[in-house]
Amino acid sequence: MTDMWGQGPGQGPGYGPGGYGWGGAWTPPPPPPQPGVIPLAPLGVDRILGGTFTTMRRHAKPLFGTVLLVYLVLGVLMAGALALGYTAVSDDVRALFDRHTEPDWSHLRPVLVAFGIAWAFGMVALTVGTAFIQSACTVVLREAVLGRPACFGAVWRHAWSRTPSVLGVGLLMGLIALIPAGLAVAFMVSLVVTLLTQSVAPVGVLFLLMAVTVPLVVWVYVLFLFGPAAATLEGAGPIQALRRSARLVRGAWWRTFGISLLAGVIMMVVSLAVRVPLQLAMPDPTVQPYEPGQDLSDVFEAMLPQLGFAMVLSMIGNLLVQLVSSVFLPLVTALLYIDQRIRREGLAHTLELASRSDA
């Protein structure tokens, strides 16, 4: 198997240490070449995070442009699905909101089915869009590492061709993540049953299962973290990409987990830094002037301009946070993948040759 850099797994020499020159003087090793956003050598945490932010700055147009366009397409598709669903059951919706008649299951059932189908369609479209964004970020990072401009059209073509494999990887990893989620739901249900029946056996068993399963799922999830990058850059299928990821992460699990966790914490801090001020800026209905006997609709009408402005700001802030997180986390993961290949397979030499051939 040959990847996008023309190297098979395990090929390519690494950079050796320095040596002793004339008279026994120590000669330090030459600095590694850096044609792009990272030096072609094993990377520390600072280089990984710095390379991520540099890629986001230098290639903002293909990165954020791709994410914006994907979200725009998803929004149009979701709006179309909801419009079609409403058109199909508009009579039932009007019947449910008719004040002169009691709600009837014969009207509620088709509404639930129609909008349930629209929701399912939206989730499928979002899953495909997320896989495409992951693949596109990895393709842009490849060009950034080699010091080449990322052509918007080329990024889209290659990312779209690898989206089915990345989607397969994401679905398999999602199935793994469903295990603790299902146990958590079962734990809550059993807790309710325990409160009603005074039995502690189901809760205790499920708690033990969660205590054992959650760490195991986290371990497997991190082990497969490089799957999207391997599927994009090595042309691997979903199962092959997961096996490739497991081989690269093995022996470096804690490092991969720690840096990924740090990236998640950074995004959480950024999210809080944006959303908390916006939340504080939302109008508080309790401070609005209200006189006894005044109609609540008048109070709401007086708040409407301020509330609408705050909601628009909140939507913009949430969109910015989503844009950054959609790009930042895949870039960090892809750089970790490249770093592991540099450390284990001498990928730095292949990258240097690729960057020189394009110069």
Side-chain angles (χ1 to χ4, degrees):
M1 179 180 65
T2 302
D3 59 18
M4 290 179 64
W5 290 298
Q7 179 193 24
Q11 295 178 349
Y15 286 94
Y20 290 94
W22 293 102
W26 170 258
T27 303
Q34 186 171 344
V37 296
I38 57 169
L40 303 183
L43 306 174
V45 179
D46 56 336
R47 295 289 188 179
I48 291 175
L49 296 179
T52 299
F53 287 117
T54 303
T55 303
M56 292 169 64
R57 185 179 70 253
R58 292 183 184 178
H59 300 275
K61 289 183 179 180
L63 282 173
F64 296 110
T66 296
V67 178
L68 274 174
L69 190 53
V70 169
Y71 285 161
L72 179 62
V73 172
L74 290 176
V76 171
L77 290 175
M78 193 62 193
L82 289 173
L84 288 175
Y86 177 78
T87 303
V89 295
S90 58
D91 294 337
D92 297 293
V93 172
R94 283 193 291 268
L96 288 174
F97 286 94
D98 189 355
R99 297 181 180 179
H100 303 290
T101 59
E102 291 292 332
D104 187 75
W105 177 248
S106 62
H107 294 297
L108 182 60
R109 183 177 58 251
V111 172
L112 292 177
V113 171
F115 288 100
I117 292 174
W119 176 84
F121 172 78
M123 291 299 100
V124 171
L126 179 61
T127 304
V128 175
T130 302
F132 177 80
I133 289 172
Q134 285 183 309
S135 183
C137 289
T138 307
V139 174
V140 172
L141 180 65
R142 172 184 180 268
E143 305 304 314
V145 168
L146 296 177
R148 302 189 304 205
C151 177
F152 196 83
V155 169
W156 271 71
R157 285 193 299 271
H158 185 81
W160 185 249
S161 68
R162 300 310 309 158
T163 295
S165 292
V166 177
L167 179 61
V169 170
L171 291 176
L172 291 174
M173 295 177 71
L175 290 176
I176 296 172
L178 282 178
I179 297 175
L183 286 175
V185 172
F187 178 78
M188 296 303 297
V189 172
S190 67
L191 188 61
V192 174
V193 173
T194 298
L195 294 176
L196 296 176
T197 63
Q198 302 298 320
S199 172
V200 296
V203 176
V205 171
L206 285 171
F207 181 79
L208 290 176
L209 284 175
M210 289 180 63
V212 173
T213 305
V214 171
L216 180 61
V217 169
V218 172
W219 177 76
V220 175
Y221 192 86
V222 174
L223 202 65
F224 293 156
L225 199 61
F226 297 159
T232 300
L233 295 178
E234 300 185 28
I239 300 297
Q240 190 178 16
L242 293 178
R243 290 176 178 171
R244 182 84 169 106
S245 174
R247 285 196 295 269
L248 289 172
V249 174
R250 192 174 293 118
W253 189 95
W254 283 108
R255 183 173 185 273
T256 304
F257 171 74
I259 296 177
S260 302
L261 181 63
L262 177 61
V265 171
I266 291 174
M267 284 312 309
M268 184 174 64
V269 172
V270 171
S271 176
L272 290 176
V274 173
R275 288 172 175 165
V276 169
L278 292 175
Q279 188 67 30
L280 294 176
M282 295 290 286
D284 187 359
T286 61
V287 301
Q288 299 298 319
Y290 175 73
E291 299 177 359
Q294 185 180 5
D295 193 352
L296 290 178
S297 61
D298 295 335
V299 178
F300 179 76
E301 202 172 316
M303 290 177 53
L304 197 56
Q306 185 182 359
L307 183 63
F309 179 72
M311 291 183 65
V312 169
L313 282 181
S314 179
M315 288 177 61
I316 294 174
N318 290 332
L319 177 61
L320 290 177
V321 170
Q322 187 63 33
L323 283 176
V324 174
S325 63
S326 297
V327 170
F328 181 75
L329 297 176
L331 288 179
V332 170
T333 302
L335 273 175
L336 278 169
Y337 158 83
I338 292 174
D339 172 58
Q340 280 302 108
R341 290 197 60 185
I342 288 175
R343 292 172 182 269
R344 295 192 174 186
E345 301 175 355
L347 183 64
H349 179 70
T350 304
L351 293 175
E352 183 184 4
L353 294 178
S355 64
R356 288 179 178 179
S357 65
D358 296 326

